[in-house]
Amino acid sequence: MKKKFVSALMALLLVFSLAPAAFADTIYSAPGAIEAGRSIDHLAATLSSGASVSAIDLPPGIVLETEETDSGLNVYLRGVSLAAGNYNCFISIDNSENQINYPLTIVPATPAVNISSSQTCFVGGEAQLSVSTSVNDGGTLSYQWYYSENSSNSGGAMILNAVDSTYYPDTSTPGTTYYYCEVTNTNNGMTSTVASAVSSVTVKEAAVTSISIASLPDKTDYKKGETLDSTGLQISLNYSDGTSEIISSGFGISPIALEKAGTQTIIISYQDKTCSFSVNVEEIEEVIEGIGVLTPPSKIEYKPGENFDSTGLSIRVYTNLGQRDVHDGFEVSPTSFEKAGDHTVTISYGGKTCTLTVKVRADEKPVSLSVLAKPKKLTYNIGEELDTTGLTLRLTLNTNKTEKITEGFTCTPTKFEKAGPQEITVTYGDLSCKFSVNVKDKKAPATPSPSPSVKPDETVKPQTSPEVKPETDTHNDTHNSGPNHTALIIIMVIAIVALIGLGVYAYIMSRNDGDDFVERIKEFIDRFRSDK
């Protein structure tokens, strides 16, 4: 059936592939990508004279036209389409069900782009670049600017957020930078992108010949230990081209800390030029009123035995003169940590203290191992190997955390060569624990089921008691039967209690391990005898 289906499908494909030749003299290839907004005049086919044609799913704006010639009927695709897309068109001839598949692709029009000319300005001046664009298919235009160190409109670095038709380049650094803009036309979900030509911006810096104080700072009187406040200070930059510029930042000031009383000269520097002004500094004794942590140390977690690391620690000192920040010269206590936990570190400076807290974390190490759940199988025959299925260990760490261990351990022994209770040693890492199993000799006769008389006989041991013997004498008088009856009652009570205990034990073992009930009873009796 499958071979017939494949044969029919191949025959059908052959019919469709030969169909155009059956009803058309010449079918020409479809045109390549057609740019939206541009006129198309493409010869699609030449048919026999008198043939009728029609088209299905042509792009909007494109029509099918025919012209009779001496050689036959020419079929043309003509018109202008503004809608980009991939169109799966069909040309039908003589109203036949046979159709010519004639796919057409309309791509967005390529934008026309012109960029502004290159520019030159001084450092800090304004430069403006822009592109003028047009597109004839009604698409949506978007922009992205790039810069490069060479005059090329490809391979440049994208400028973040520069997505308008106008861009203002950075002029803070002298030099020449090349710019271009990629313009993208989006039409019906398809895009066409073109890069503009390159335009350069050259930033020049005029030489500073001198600087001078344009205006003094608002504050010129200080107390010893205060920091210079440059608010209001302005300087004038005088250039070689005769121009000048007033700035209020970007220059150097020295000194900042006013540590000497009297008149102090403040030096202003810009590039290699300097000027100065004076301030008055009053002598005053500083009184530290308090301190606080400004920035904590880089390291705030330690291990036992490590020393305190003050790297990154700074404090703020509050005085009668205001506040100042101190990055060294203070003392800390303690300087090392021996125990795990939260530790308070005291910082001392100028007779004042503040504190911060660090954490000391001990390395987690395993300290003990115990059996959390025994294996499902605890009874074996001689020659069998140990089955650890169900064995679960409890690993206790020095931090009092516990973990369940179900693999990665080893057991000794793993094979049983003798009968009786045997102790299994479980080793995990450097730790070990133990549990017991019972090994039976499978060649020995089966142990009979326990009877009520088994347990009492071994517990009471009547053969050593002189009061048991009268039980076999049926001719004793009633005066001597009192003690015998009492012993019998005691034996019966002990037997009943033993049977109840045996039943409870068998029930628990059957629930925990799911072994056969009779096997559990035998195991209990074997253990009881071995204990005796």
Side-chain angles (χ1 to χ4, degrees):
M1 182 65 182
K2 183 175 180 180
K3 291 183 177 179
K4 291 181 178 180
F5 175 76
V6 173
S7 300
L9 181 60
M10 294 300 294
L12 184 61
L13 291 175
L14 180 62
V15 169
F16 276 105
S17 65
L18 297 176
F23 57 81
D25 294 334
T26 305
I27 304 300
Y28 301 104
S29 300
I34 304 167
E35 190 171 291
R38 291 191 178 182
S39 177
I40 178 176
D41 187 0
H42 178 74
L43 178 61
T46 299
L47 309 176
S48 299
S49 297
S52 63
V53 295
S54 60
I56 301 174
D57 296 333
L58 290 175
I62 304 298
V63 297
L64 196 67
E65 295 182 355
T66 60
E67 291 181 1
E68 285 285 356
T69 65
D70 293 340
S71 58
L73 182 68
N74 288 340
V75 181
Y76 294 91
L77 292 174
R78 290 171 174 165
V80 176
S81 178
L82 301 179
N86 295 307
Y87 299 89
N88 194 24
C89 311
F90 292 90
I91 298 176
S92 178
I93 301 175
D94 290 333
N95 297 320
S96 170
E97 293 182 358
N98 296 319
Q99 295 177 334
I100 303 171
N101 187 3
Y102 215 76
L104 296 176
T105 298
I106 308 296
V107 298
T110 301
V113 181
N114 292 310
I115 190 171
S116 56
S117 58
S118 299
Q119 302 174 35
T120 300
C121 67
F122 289 105
V123 172
E126 181 179 294
Q128 176 181 324
L129 297 175
S130 62
V131 289
S132 58
T133 58
S134 63
V135 69
N136 61 356
D137 65 348
T140 301
L141 299 180
S142 56
Y143 309 88
Q144 177 61 61
W145 288 88
Y146 294 80
Y147 73 90
S148 176
E149 295 181 355
N150 52 66
S151 182
S152 173
N153 67 346
S154 64
M158 184 176 69
I159 305 173
L160 295 177
N161 301 320
V163 292
D164 296 320
S165 59
T166 300
Y167 174 64
Y168 297 90
D170 177 25
T171 61
S172 61
T173 304
T176 299
T177 306
Y178 298 91
Y179 298 89
Y180 64 92
C181 181
E182 285 189 353
V183 182
T184 299
N185 177 29
T186 302
N187 182 333
N188 206 22
M190 299 177 69
T191 60
S192 177
T193 300
V194 64
S196 71
V198 174
S199 185
S200 66
V201 173
T202 301
V203 180
K204 294 183 178 181
E205 183 175 13
V208 176
T209 57
S210 65
I211 64 173
S212 58
I213 302 296
S215 62
L216 291 172
D218 297 338
K219 183 177 180 179
T220 57
D221 294 321
Y222 294 88
K223 294 180 179 180
K224 184 179 178 181
E226 285 188 311
T227 300
L228 183 73
D229 184 355
S230 63
T231 302
L233 175 62
Q234 293 182 326
I235 65 172
S236 176
L237 307 180
N238 305 310
Y239 294 99
S240 56
D241 59 0
T243 61
S244 63
E245 178 185 7
I246 294 178
I247 61 174
S248 57
S249 62
F251 45 80
I253 304 176
S254 179
I256 296 296
L258 306 175
E259 302 294 345
K260 296 180 180 180
T263 300
Q264 287 200 28
T265 299
I266 307 302
I267 304 299
I268 306 300
S269 59
Y270 183 86
Q271 295 182 0
D272 58 345
K273 303 297 185 290
T274 61
C275 63
S276 64
F277 67 94
S278 298
V279 296
N280 298 317
V281 181
E282 179 184 349
E283 182 75 47
I284 188 172
E285 184 179 356
E286 180 187 68
V287 178
I288 297 177
E289 299 171 346
I291 65 174
V293 175
L294 178 63
T295 58
S298 303
K299 183 174 182 178
I300 58 174
E301 291 192 3
Y302 295 84
K303 294 179 180 180
E306 286 190 314
N307 294 328
F308 179 75
D309 185 355
S310 62
T311 302
L313 175 62
S314 63
I315 62 173
R316 176 155 288 175
V317 180
Y318 301 92
T319 74
N320 58 328
L321 302 178
Q323 63 186 36
R324 56 189 174 89
D325 299 336
V326 176
H327 303 280
D328 53 28
F330 41 74
E331 296 180 352
V332 296
S333 179
T335 57
S336 63
F337 312 102
E338 301 301 328
K339 296 181 179 180
D342 291 342
H343 289 253
T344 299
V345 177
T346 301
I347 305 163
S348 303
Y349 183 84
K352 303 296 180 180
T353 62
C354 61
T355 62
L356 60 88
T357 301
V358 298
K359 292 184 179 295
V360 179
R361 303 182 187 275
D363 290 336
E364 288 188 338
K365 297 180 180 179
V367 294
S368 66
L369 186 70
S370 60
V371 176
L372 181 62
K374 293 182 180 180
K376 294 182 178 180
K377 184 174 182 179
L378 295 172
T379 301
Y380 294 86
N381 292 322
I382 290 178
E384 285 189 307
E385 292 187 352
L386 178 68
D387 182 357
T388 60
T389 303
L391 175 59
T392 303
L393 307 178
R394 178 189 287 113
L395 183 68
T396 303
L397 308 178
N398 60 339
T399 57
N400 291 328
K401 293 182 180 178
T402 60
E403 298 178 3
K404 288 184 179 181
I405 306 299
T406 58
E407 58 183 13
F409 49 77
T410 59
C411 296
T412 305
T414 58
K415 189 172 183 180
F416 305 108
E417 304 295 344
K418 62 180 181 177
Q422 292 198 29
E423 196 170 63
I424 307 300
T425 299
V426 186
T427 302
Y428 183 79
D430 296 330
L431 302 175
S432 63
C433 59
K434 298 179 179 181
F435 67 91
S436 297
V437 299
N438 190 37
V439 182
K440 299 183 300 182
D441 187 350
K442 58 183 178 179
K443 296 180 180 180
T447 304
S449 299
S451 64
S453 61
V454 173
K455 197 67 176 183
D457 286 345
E458 294 180 349
T459 303
V460 180
K461 298 182 180 179
Q463 65 272 18
T464 62
S465 173
E467 294 180 356
V468 177
K469 293 179 180 180
E471 288 182 284
T472 59
D473 187 359
T474 58
H475 301 288
N476 288 338
D477 56 24
T478 57
H479 297 287
N480 297 327
S481 63
N484 294 336
H485 291 170
T486 302
L488 181 58
I489 292 172
I490 292 174
I491 292 173
M492 292 179 65
V493 171
I494 293 175
I496 292 172
V497 172
L499 285 174
I500 293 174
L502 181 62
V504 172
Y505 176 83
Y507 173 74
I508 293 174
M509 294 302 290
S510 64
R511 287 195 60 184
N512 290 340
D513 304 322
D515 290 343
D516 184 77
F517 180 79
V518 175
E519 289 296 321
R520 288 297 177 184
I521 293 176
K522 291 179 179 180
E523 179 183 348
F524 176 82
I525 294 172
D526 291 340
R527 290 187 180 181
F528 180 82
R529 288 178 173 175
S530 64
D531 292 340
K532 297 304 291 181

